[in-house]
Amino acid sequence: MEIDIDKRLRAKQFRERLSRAMSSRGISQSALARQTGVDRSTISQLLTDQGARLPNAHVVGSCASALGVSADWLLSLSERPENAAELLASSMAVSAAPRALVDEQIFDWHREAAGYKIRHVPAALPDMLKTRALLEWEYAPHLGRSADQAIGASEDRLAWMRQAQSDYEIAMPTYELESFAQATGYYEGLPLEIRLEQLDHFEQICTQLYPRLRVYLFDAKRLFSSPLTIFGPLLCVFYAGSHYMAFRDRERVETFTTHFDRLVREADLTARQFPEKLRAYKEYPL
């Protein structure tokens, strides 16, 4: 008996949703019949039949396609009326990633997520924790004459991010900090005075802002992560060099939140130990 009730309810919801979609799209019974290739009487019956029968898959699919909704929504198998293409477009977006400190898109995402925990795996050292001298060394070759103006504008945004009501967790591979301290790899040629000033700055900020700001170091031989930022439960953004890939669907955000939490859980160095590690780097032969 429960199965019969369920069938009747689903048939009733199908009629209601079909009618709602037709009204929303401004499509008449005759127009829908032409677009689906069925008789007008068939469409009329779909809208008025009080029984428990549902149309066959071909008719449901044709109606869904003509009305720009998903067949699952018409059949009450989903609460999202968007079709697959619309769902994909709304859940994933690709946007250009200019060679800039904090571009408008990144800043907008931070403002949108204000108050939520923000989890971040930077591509190098995190920009929000860099000194002006390091920013100039890193970005001036790309920004040319506009470097000073761009860095000045970005400093205000970086300061806003540090003072926002969000908690920040940053996870990065240990080799990144070692490479910086020893001026190897990406940081080859970076003057000693800039490195020492940056290590002092790191230590000061991480001490002052703890526990709202927590930095973890993980072993890249055991764990790997692409550069990404997870803005609370709202979205997850991957940095792919010239573009950002942003995901807004809950399952992906939760998946990559779990990934980040593993980086933290298995980190070789906890946030409490990070300032001590910075002091040790300053004693290395640099």
Side-chain angles (χ1 to χ4, degrees):
M1 185 66 180
E2 291 180 356
I3 296 177
D4 291 338
I5 294 174
D6 180 68
K7 285 182 177 179
R8 288 186 177 277
L9 176 60
R10 182 165 295 181
K12 178 175 180 291
Q13 290 177 332
F14 173 83
R15 293 191 295 272
E16 291 174 349
R17 292 185 175 191
L18 180 62
S19 177
R20 191 191 318 170
M22 291 174 61
S23 177
S24 176
R25 296 278 176 168
I27 294 179
S28 66
Q29 293 185 27
S30 298
L32 183 59
R34 287 194 301 272
Q35 293 184 38
T36 57
V38 301
D39 293 336
R40 184 184 181 285
S41 60
T42 300
I43 300 299
S44 177
Q45 185 177 11
L46 291 178
L47 292 167
T48 59
D49 187 0
Q50 298 301 309
R53 291 186 59 187
L54 288 167
N56 63 44
H58 174 73
V59 173
V60 174
S62 296
C63 289
S65 178
L67 295 170
V69 296
S70 74
D72 282 353
W73 179 74
L74 285 177
L75 294 172
S76 298
L77 299 175
S78 169
E79 293 304 312
R80 298 289 298 268
E82 301 96 330
N83 58 35
E86 291 174 330
L87 281 172
L88 182 61
S90 65
S91 66
M92 185 185 76
V94 177
S95 58
R99 181 63 169 162
L101 290 172
V102 183
D103 60 62
E104 288 296 333
Q105 180 63 85
I106 283 285
F107 193 50
D108 286 345
W109 284 329
H110 277 273
R111 287 187 293 189
E112 180 184 354
Y116 289 112
K117 179 189 289 188
I118 296 176
R119 301 166 171 90
H120 181 45
V121 179
L125 296 182
D127 283 342
M128 66 183 292
L129 302 181
K130 290 175 182 174
T131 62
R132 185 180 182 90
L134 179 56
L135 292 173
E136 290 175 346
W137 177 85
E138 186 173 7
Y139 286 97
H142 307 280
L143 299 176
R145 295 180 179 179
S146 62
D148 188 67
Q149 180 180 358
I151 290 171
S154 294
E155 281 183 323
D156 294 336
R157 297 178 180 182
L158 295 171
W160 181 91
M161 290 160 60
R162 287 194 291 265
Q163 297 167 10
Q165 297 305 307
S166 296
D167 284 354
Y168 281 86
E169 285 189 339
I170 298 173
M172 57 184 180
T174 302
Y175 74 77
E176 188 69 41
L177 198 57
E178 290 178 348
S179 178
F180 167 79
Q182 298 170 11
T184 58
Y186 179 81
Y187 304 98
E188 184 176 357
L190 181 60
L192 175 61
E193 61 271 20
I194 294 180
R195 285 180 276 143
L196 290 174
E197 179 191 21
Q198 180 63 65
L199 290 170
D200 283 336
H201 184 66
F202 264 152
E203 180 184 352
Q204 181 182 1
I205 284 190
C206 291
T207 301
Q208 288 178 348
L209 298 184
Y210 182 86
R212 200 168 60 78
L213 169 66
R214 299 184 293 280
V215 181
Y216 301 85
L217 298 179
F218 62 87
D219 182 359
K221 294 186 181 70
R222 293 189 300 106
L223 302 168
F224 172 78
S225 179
S226 299
L228 80 157
T229 306
I230 304 166
F231 295 90
L234 304 177
L235 74 157
C236 173
V237 179
F238 282 86
Y239 176 61
S242 60
H243 289 80
Y244 300 118
M245 291 188 297
F247 298 92
R248 287 189 175 272
D249 58 298
R250 186 182 64 183
E251 288 187 6
R252 282 195 178 93
V253 173
E254 290 178 350
T255 294
F256 294 114
T257 297
T258 299
H259 160 74
F260 184 92
D261 289 345
R262 184 188 175 200
L263 298 178
V264 170
R265 187 173 60 254
E266 299 188 22
D268 290 337
L269 198 76
T270 68
R272 284 184 178 274
Q273 298 168 319
F274 188 66
E276 182 180 348
K277 187 69 171 179
L278 293 171
R279 289 191 291 271
Y281 277 128
K282 287 188 290 184
E283 299 173 3
Y284 285 1
L286 301 175

